[in-house]
Amino acid sequence: MANSTGAQKPQNTKKNKKKGATLDTFYGAKIQNTEQIEDNIKENAPKPSKGNGNSPQTYEEFESEMTKKMEAFWEEKLEIMQKKFTHLQNQFDQTVKENQALKARIRQLEDNDRVREQESIKQSQNTKKLEENIKYLTDKVIDLENRGRRDNLRIIGLPDKPEINTKLDMVIQDIIKENCPEILEQGGNTATDRAHRTPSTLNPQKTTPRNVIAKFQSYQTKEKILQEARKRQFRYKGMPIRVTQDLASSTLNDRKAWNMIFRKARELGLQPRISYPAKLTIYFQGKVWAFNKIEDFQLFAKKRPELCGKFDTENQRARNT
């Protein structure tokens, strides 16, 4: 007969386990709350028997077993987290190294750029100095060439015929006799060292006669002939010719740029003159005005109602180009 007071077996009734909150750990690992684990321990813990105490498992043993399981669980999770943390730490250290390398590279590039900028400034300064030296030397060469031609006269419009080209020295003497015989009467030395035609290399198809360059033995005689040529039109056997100072080609081009203004100024009675090397002078309102550049003359003409609009320099430039 069963003892009513005998030991009762622990009831293993299954209770509905309530789902506790979860903790999101590193990289999505999920574990139960400590409170839920403790509730599970209490629910699953065996009840102490009221009988002879022959329980299959005491509460202390069950609690010790569950503690060991929890410790093993947390140790496993801690090891996983430690590995992931170590991996992140390595990545962070690598990122720091790469960042430091990039900063060093940026500083190096900035230093190189600063050095290149300084070199560029020095190069620009050197280039400017070279340009100034080139301009100075070019102007010096042109001035020396012009001074080397100071005894020369350029005769423009003299017919380019063989009978004239073979005896240019005699032709020049005839021009002096026809246009300024007073120089011969005063006993001036009108002899020339040489006379020749200019080469027509710029435009071989040009139909106008080539200029004649004559080098006189006397600078004073050359100047007297030039002064007479500025006063009136020279002729050779009734044919009009022009006598001017022989100059370097660049200086002649600079003087040629004044042609339109020069002609218009002569029509207006301004008594224009081209002085050395290529400077225009006019007589206006009782004063002598000098201009080194066409732009300076344009500005001057715009401010004077008597001259404004009468000098079309743009058409002159278009013809020259």
Side-chain angles (χ1 to χ4, degrees):
M1 184 173 180
N3 189 3
S4 59
T5 62
Q8 294 182 355
K9 296 181 179 180
Q11 296 179 357
N12 294 329
T13 59
K14 296 182 179 180
K15 296 181 181 181
N16 293 330
K17 297 180 181 180
K18 55 183 177 180
K19 297 181 179 180
T22 62
L23 296 175
D24 292 338
T25 60
F26 262 74
Y27 292 93
K30 295 182 179 181
I31 60 174
Q32 292 177 325
N33 286 334
T34 305
E35 295 179 356
Q36 184 179 356
I37 295 174
E38 291 177 353
D39 292 340
N40 290 338
I41 292 173
K42 292 178 180 179
E43 291 176 359
N44 296 327
K47 307 295 185 210
S49 63
K50 298 179 181 180
N52 54 10
N54 294 326
S55 173
Q57 188 177 24
T58 63
Y59 180 82
E60 290 78 7
E61 293 174 349
F62 177 77
E63 186 177 14
S64 176
E65 182 180 354
M66 293 302 298
T67 301
K68 292 179 180 179
K69 289 182 179 180
M70 288 181 63
E71 291 176 352
F73 171 80
W74 283 112
E75 288 178 358
E76 180 182 359
K77 294 299 181 182
L78 182 61
E79 183 179 359
I80 294 173
M81 293 172 63
Q82 185 66 33
K83 290 180 179 179
K84 293 180 178 180
F85 178 78
T86 303
H87 177 69
L88 289 175
Q89 185 66 35
N90 294 335
Q91 287 185 339
F92 177 77
D93 294 340
Q94 183 66 24
T95 302
V96 170
K97 292 180 180 179
E98 293 177 355
N99 188 30
Q100 292 176 349
L102 288 175
K103 287 182 178 180
R105 181 59 177 167
I106 290 173
R107 286 194 296 268
Q108 183 181 2
L109 291 174
E110 289 177 348
D111 294 339
N112 294 339
D113 184 67
R114 193 177 299 108
V115 171
R116 283 194 297 269
E117 185 177 357
Q118 294 175 354
E119 291 178 353
S120 177
I121 293 173
K122 292 180 180 179
Q123 188 66 27
S124 299
Q125 293 174 349
N126 293 335
T127 301
K128 185 177 180 180
K129 291 181 180 179
L130 288 175
E131 291 176 350
E132 292 175 353
N133 291 337
I134 290 173
K135 185 179 184 305
Y136 170 77
L137 293 175
T138 301
D139 295 341
K140 190 69 174 177
V141 169
I142 293 174
D143 182 66
L144 289 173
E145 184 178 356
N146 288 330
R147 293 182 183 278
R149 297 169 181 257
R150 63 194 303 269
D151 296 334
N152 297 356
L153 284 180
R154 181 180 291 261
I155 303 172
I156 304 171
L158 190 65
D160 195 350
K161 297 179 181 180
E163 59 271 20
I164 294 178
N165 296 338
T166 55
K167 52 179 183 178
L168 286 174
D169 292 336
M170 297 177 60
V171 171
I172 292 171
Q173 297 300 321
D174 294 339
I175 293 174
I176 296 173
K177 291 178 183 179
E178 183 176 351
N179 296 276
C180 46
E182 61 276 6
I183 295 177
L184 295 175
E185 295 173 359
Q186 294 171 0
N189 181 13
T190 60
T192 57
D193 285 337
R194 58 184 176 273
H196 60 86
R197 292 278 184 179
T198 57
S200 57
T201 56
L202 296 179
N203 187 4
Q205 305 299 326
K206 191 174 181 179
T207 57
T208 56
R210 294 174 294 167
N211 297 342
V212 174
I213 306 298
K215 179 177 175 58
F216 286 82
Q217 294 180 357
S218 173
Y219 172 76
Q220 289 77 11
T221 301
K222 187 269 305 184
E223 281 296 310
K224 290 179 181 180
I225 297 172
L226 187 60
Q227 290 174 5
E228 294 296 327
R230 289 170 178 168
K231 296 178 182 178
R232 59 182 180 272
Q233 177 72 59
F234 270 31
R235 295 181 178 272
Y236 174 68
K237 295 182 179 181
M239 182 179 298
I241 59 173
R242 189 156 62 96
V243 178
T244 64
Q245 173 67 47
D246 181 37
L247 297 168
S249 59
S250 58
T251 306
L252 291 175
N253 290 333
D254 292 340
R255 290 192 168 199
K256 184 180 178 181
W258 290 106
N259 283 351
M260 189 279 298
I261 296 176
F262 186 89
R263 289 193 295 268
K264 190 63 178 179
R266 178 179 289 176
E267 293 176 4
L268 296 175
L270 300 178
Q271 303 177 18
R273 288 189 61 183
I274 302 294
S275 57
Y276 181 83
K279 181 168 64 175
L280 174 70
T281 59
I282 62 173
Y283 186 79
F284 180 71
Q285 294 181 347
K287 296 181 181 180
V288 177
W289 304 84
F291 307 95
N292 292 317
K293 297 180 181 180
I294 294 179
E295 291 77 9
D296 297 338
F297 179 82
Q298 285 179 317
L299 185 61
F300 174 83
K302 287 180 180 179
K303 294 180 179 180
R304 272 71 182 178
E306 301 90 339
L307 305 178
C308 184
K310 296 182 180 180
F311 295 90
D312 190 1
T313 55
E314 296 298 328
N315 291 336
Q316 171 67 21
R317 289 184 177 180
R319 287 195 295 269
N320 292 338
T321 56

